[in-house]
């Protein structure tokens, strides 16, 4: 099996602590009390939304182009951090993906979304297609 990319973050203090990219490219913070981010900062949900939007859209474009279709395509991904009704006192992530592709029909958009879900590594996570390995040294 080939690894195509690897990145690493360290975290101390959980969501109210500090997360730093191993190469010191940026730090993560949590939103202020008013729910807004400080300029130039980001949080885990924003990173996940960016990753899901770019990866899912890339897979969508792949299938669209393979079918010989052309359109401007914009993915709008909203990530919600909400209470988890299955585990009291915990939260879960919920994602909403909207696609704006003016040259495609609704049926074509639905078809390419379904196909993209089977090839995008980020959408595969929602169906158990990701692997989480806990390492204790």
């Amino acid at each position: 099996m080939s690894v195509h990319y690897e990145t690493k973050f360290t975290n101390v203090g959980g969501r109210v602590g500090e997360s730093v990219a191993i190469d010191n490219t940026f730090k993560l913070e949590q939103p202020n009390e008013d729910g807004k981010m400080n300029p130039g900062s980001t949080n885990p949900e924003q990173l996940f939304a960016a990753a899901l939007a770019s990866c899912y859209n890339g897979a969508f474009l792949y299938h669209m182009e393979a079918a010989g279709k052309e359109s401007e395509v914009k993915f709008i991904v909203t990530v919600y951090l909400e209470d988890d009704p299955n585990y009291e006192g915990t939260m879960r992530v919920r994602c909403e993906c909207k696609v704006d592709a003016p040259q495609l029909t609704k049926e074509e958009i639905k078809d390419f979304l379904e196909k993209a879900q089977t090839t995008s590594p980020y959408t595969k996570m929602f169906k158990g297609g990701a692997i989480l390995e806990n390492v204790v040294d």
Side-chain angles (χ1 to χ4, degrees):
M1 178 183 329
S2 300
V3 174
H4 295 274
Y5 177 74
E6 178 181 320
T7 187
K8 192 178 290 187
F9 265 78
T10 61
N11 174 275
V12 176
R15 288 188 65 88
V16 297
E18 180 178 79
S19 292
V20 181
I22 225 56
D23 59 3
N24 289 315
T25 52
F26 63 91
K27 294 181 180 180
L28 301 180
E29 297 179 2
Q30 72 176 16
N32 297 325
E33 291 177 11
D34 61 359
K36 297 185 180 187
M37 296 297 298
N38 291 321
S41 65
T42 190
N43 64 45
E45 291 73 37
Q46 289 174 323
L47 289 173
F48 188 74
L52 179 59
S54 60
C55 191
Y56 199 4
N57 192 9
F60 184 96
L61 290 169
Y62 170 81
H63 292 290
M64 184 184 78
E65 291 167 6
K69 297 290 182 174
E70 292 185 13
S71 180
E72 293 279 328
V73 179
K74 182 200 270 184
F75 265 62
I76 302 101
V77 173
T78 306
V79 172
Y80 302 93
L81 188 60
E82 62 186 22
D83 293 333
D84 186 339
N86 300 310
Y87 300 98
E88 189 175 330
T90 67
M91 292 182 277
R92 69 177 179 191
V93 171
R94 179 172 56 90
C95 301
E96 176 184 276
C97 299
K98 293 183 181 179
V99 177
D100 181 20
Q103 289 82 24
L104 300 179
T105 66
K106 286 184 180 183
E107 291 75 26
E108 289 171 325
I109 291 172
K110 287 178 184 178
D111 180 54
F112 295 134
L113 281 171
E114 288 176 15
K115 289 176 179 173
Q117 282 185 351
T118 66
T119 54
S120 164
Y122 279 83
T123 57
K124 287 179 185 180
M125 286 193 292
F126 293 98
K127 297 192 181 216
I131 298 168
L132 174 63
E133 296 176 353
N134 294 315
V135 178
V136 179
D137 291 330

